[in-house]
Amino acid sequence: MNNTTSSHNQSSDVNQQHEKTIANKRSLPVLLINYACLFVGSISSSLLSKYYFNHKGSSRWVSTWVQSAGFPLLVIPIFLPYYLFKSTQRKPFTRFTPKILALSIFIGLMLGINNLLFSWGNSYLPVSTSSLLLSSQLVFNLILSVIIVKQKITFMNLNCVILLTLGSALLALESSKDKPQGLTKAKYFIGFVATIGAGFLFALYLPIMEMIYKKVYCYAMVIEMQLVMEIAATTLASVGMAWNGGFAEMKKEGREVFDKRERVYWATVMSNVVSWQLCFMGTAGMVFLTCSLTGGICMTALLVMNVLGGVLVYREEFGGVKVVSTVMCGWGFCSYVYGMYAKNKMNLDHDHHHKEIKNIAPPNPIEMAQIVAPSPHHLGV
């Protein structure tokens, strides 16, 4: 009898291992796609936002609005697979409870405020400066992740956070030398504080979303939540635009204020809409498939690319302080990635040493409704 029970337990362990292995294999392509969206969206949105302000675009509400106005794009992956392609059996918004709806609206409003703070900071500061200042969100992210989702502090993530934070502190000490011509100290200070505030709100957003995603059972629900959040953020920005002159001001700005052609103005606005949607959807996917701290670290690592983009595209100054800050940010991220790789390799070696899986049938074709969040420990985060 004991032998039978032991055999049954071993069989159960092997089945659980099968499920974890298959879940990881299915999640990895989606994780890579989300990071690609995050990579393209983060860099292009930062550069396009600065392009808008550099060419006499002046409405921070417009800059805030475009960050979430791309929510109609999410209708495609939500509804078409079920109603048109018939590639999923899950009906959109299945098990989307009133509680999840209320949380999505609340987070969306918080995201709208974060977008406004980012627009204020980006309108006053160079891309490279604002990008490095935003990396300060990691220290907030680590603290809030420990409090909200009980994230374990390890040498790997602590070392990364310290390096990235020190890089931002170095920049802050030399910030007075990086003021654009004609910008007063008061406005520069507003931009500086607004950017730090945006970093803090985003750091709060990540662990809260990780906590909520624990109640979400598939990736399709992540997209649905993102749709609701973007609608709430767009509503907030639309109210601000109406209060500040309305959407008619956009037409006037495109014709009379923007120093490029009107077509270039609208191309800039629409490109910004798409790029921001890629950025936020990539972030949401990263948090769902890994954890909030990993999502924040990946975002911060891309800020280094934003720094280089600002230097290459806008010929911004890249002096000694920015060089040191960039190196520290890159160093911190690389150390974190190596730590993840080493931990993941150790877990895989441990699995292979104790359990050997044979004759596993190839998995059936996967759909978004079947992609569940794999265990963070199994992904090495």
Side-chain angles (χ1 to χ4, degrees):
M1 181 70 179
N2 291 336
N3 290 337
T4 303
T5 303
S6 177
S7 175
H8 176 74
N9 290 336
Q10 289 178 358
S11 176
S12 177
D13 290 341
V14 172
N15 288 335
Q16 290 178 2
Q17 187 66 30
H18 286 185
E19 293 177 359
K20 287 182 179 180
T21 302
I22 293 172
N24 284 338
K25 289 181 178 179
R26 291 173 173 176
S27 300
L28 183 58
V30 183
L31 183 63
L32 294 176
I33 291 172
N34 276 274
Y35 192 74
C37 291
L38 180 59
F39 181 87
V40 174
S42 176
I43 296 175
S44 58
S45 60
S46 179
L47 295 176
L48 285 168
S49 295
K50 192 62 184 179
Y51 182 85
Y52 168 78
F53 287 114
N54 280 353
H55 293 285
K56 298 184 178 179
S58 58
S59 176
R60 295 173 187 85
W61 282 111
V62 170
S63 181
T64 302
W65 182 80
V66 300
Q67 293 181 52
S68 57
F71 67 85
L73 296 173
L74 297 178
V75 171
I76 297 174
I78 289 176
F79 291 100
L80 292 191
Y82 179 80
Y83 289 104
L84 183 62
F85 301 127
K86 309 295 183 182
S87 59
T88 178
Q89 296 180 353
R90 179 186 177 274
K91 190 175 182 179
F93 291 95
T94 299
R95 293 171 62 179
F96 203 90
T97 64
K99 183 178 181 180
I100 292 179
L101 175 63
L103 287 171
S104 298
I105 293 174
F106 171 75
I107 298 300
L109 294 174
M110 187 177 76
L111 198 61
I113 297 174
N114 174 81
N115 294 343
L116 177 61
L117 289 174
F118 176 84
S119 297
W120 273 89
N122 208 34
S123 65
Y124 289 141
L125 302 178
V127 172
S128 53
T129 302
S130 62
S131 296
L132 286 169
L133 283 176
L134 283 172
S135 66
S136 64
Q137 60 94 8
L138 258 187
V139 67
F140 300 132
N141 191 357
L142 179 62
I143 295 171
L144 294 172
S145 293
V146 171
I147 297 173
I148 297 174
V149 295
K150 310 304 180 184
Q151 172 74 45
K152 292 182 179 179
I153 298 179
T154 65
F155 174 78
M156 177 178 66
N157 55 38
L158 185 60
N159 176 63
C160 179
V161 169
I162 290 174
L163 287 172
L164 290 166
T165 305
L166 285 177
S168 298
L170 280 175
L171 183 67
L173 293 173
E174 296 291 329
S175 60
S176 60
K177 300 178 181 179
D178 197 30
K179 283 191 308 187
Q181 292 183 352
L183 185 65
T184 64
K185 290 183 178 180
K187 289 183 177 180
Y188 191 85
F189 178 76
I190 292 173
F192 197 92
V193 173
T195 303
I196 294 294
F200 175 79
L201 275 183
F202 193 75
L204 179 62
Y205 159 81
L206 291 175
I208 289 179
M209 289 312 301
E210 181 182 352
M211 182 177 63
I212 296 174
Y213 284 158
K214 291 179 180 180
K215 301 178 181 179
V216 171
Y217 74 97
C218 66
Y219 183 74
M221 284 191 71
V222 174
I223 304 179
E224 293 161 0
M225 287 186 64
Q226 194 67 23
L227 175 65
V228 176
M229 287 189 291
E230 299 291 349
I231 291 174
T234 304
T235 301
L236 179 65
S238 298
V239 170
M241 285 185 66
W243 172 72
N244 200 36
F247 291 92
E249 191 70 22
M250 292 179 68
K251 295 182 179 180
K252 181 180 179 181
E253 187 177 61
R255 288 194 307 264
E256 303 175 11
V257 180
F258 200 70
D259 61 8
K260 298 290 184 179
R261 292 180 299 175
E262 187 175 359
R263 289 182 179 179
V264 177
Y265 175 83
W266 289 109
T268 302
V269 170
M270 297 311 297
S271 298
N272 232 335
V273 167
V274 175
S275 64
W276 276 111
Q277 200 54 236
L278 288 173
C279 183
F280 283 124
M281 195 60 244
T283 303
M286 289 290 293
V287 174
F288 175 71
L289 294 169
T290 59
C291 68
S292 57
L293 185 59
T294 298
I297 286 174
C298 289
M299 281 288 293
T300 305
L302 289 178
L303 292 178
V304 177
M305 300 302 297
N306 289 344
V307 172
L308 297 179
V311 172
L312 294 175
V313 176
Y314 299 120
R315 300 293 187 267
E316 294 178 354
E317 182 184 353
F318 195 63
V321 173
K322 285 186 180 178
V323 171
V324 174
S325 296
T326 302
V327 170
M328 293 183 75
C329 288
W331 181 13
F333 176 72
C334 289
S335 66
Y336 184 78
V337 170
Y338 177 77
M340 288 177 61
Y341 166 78
K343 184 177 180 181
N344 202 32
K345 187 174 184 300
M346 182 178 65
N347 290 338
L348 290 174
D349 290 342
H350 182 270
D351 291 342
H352 285 303
H353 180 71
H354 288 84
K355 297 177 182 179
E356 183 176 358
I357 302 174
K358 297 181 179 180
N359 301 323
I360 301 178
N364 294 326
I366 189 68
E367 58 183 62
M368 283 194 300
Q370 294 173 293
I371 299 176
V372 297
S375 169
H377 299 291
H378 203 72
L379 281 177
V381 293

